[in-house]
Amino acid sequence: GGDNWLPTNGNVENAHLANFVVTSLVMDPSDPTHDTLYAATGEEGYNGGSGVPGGGIFRSSNGGSAWGRLELTDPRFFPQFSSISKVAVSKLIPPNNDQVILATTSIGLQRSVNGGAWVQVKPGRSYGVVFDPTNGSNAVAAVVEGSNSRVYWSSNAGETWGQATLDIRGEVVDF
């Protein structure tokens, strides 16, 4: 879970985040000013409890003073975005300077390039995802398939995924 986030200027009406649980907050690694932030919202209910539905993924380009929803993540039209565990944003990827956003949801891992349409790239309840901070093409994700949790690796910015091999300590040794 998380806490409710309110804008520091008290302007709740324009923040869109006033009644949402923020489950993941990340800085855009390609923004040298560190002013571009992404917030994932909504939590799933666990062990019979009720979760707090979210409003999708929000972006701020001014350090969090104002937020706007990524249009294609409005859960009224795209219900997979009502509960997002994590969001990850890649560095700019050559040669086109594309930027990939990955989001973990209760139905699978979602992927968007440059804020466009979302595609489910890995089915199954996904809980964690990170990009390699030095190479925006490399990512790791945790996905539950049936009763098994698995770690997956991507070397093409989340377009395709292969299962990672883990050692006894749970560290990735091969992918």
Side-chain angles (χ1 to χ4, degrees):
D3 293 319
N4 287 332
W5 288 67
L6 296 175
T8 57
N9 66 2
N11 191 354
V12 174
E13 211 168 42
N14 293 328
H16 307 291
L17 293 175
N19 295 316
F20 297 130
V21 172
V22 174
T23 55
S24 180
L25 183 66
V26 297
M27 279 190 280
D28 182 337
S30 298
D31 179 359
T33 66
H34 307 295
D35 282 342
T36 304
L37 306 170
Y38 290 84
T41 64
E43 67 181 356
E44 199 171 350
Y46 296 98
N47 297 326
S50 61
V52 178
I57 299 173
F58 293 81
R59 181 180 182 271
S60 172
S61 58
N62 57 11
S65 294
W67 294 87
R69 181 183 2 238
L70 297 184
E71 185 177 340
L72 298 175
T73 68
D74 186 335
R76 293 175 298 177
F77 309 106
F78 306 97
Q80 68 268 33
F81 292 105
S82 67
S83 173
I84 306 165
S85 299
K86 299 289 180 201
V87 64
V89 179
S90 74
K91 294 180 78 164
L92 296 179
I93 304 168
N96 300 326
N97 282 336
D98 288 332
Q99 187 166 50
V100 174
I101 303 170
L102 297 172
T104 60
T105 71
S106 60
I107 65 165
L109 186 60
Q110 312 293 323
R111 179 180 189 264
S112 173
V113 178
N114 299 323
W118 290 84
V119 175
Q120 181 171 294
V121 292
K122 191 75 187 140
R125 183 168 297 181
S126 54
Y127 288 102
V129 64
V130 293
F131 276 102
D132 180 336
T134 62
N135 182 341
S137 293
N138 296 332
V140 177
V143 179
V144 176
E145 296 172 328
S147 60
N148 297 311
S149 295
R150 294 194 167 90
V151 175
Y152 288 90
W153 176 266
S154 174
S155 60
N156 58 8
E159 196 170 335
T160 60
W161 295 86
Q163 189 170 344
T165 302
L166 306 177
D167 68 11
I168 196 165
R169 295 180 309 264
E171 294 179 12
V172 175
V173 293
D174 186 30
F175 40 83

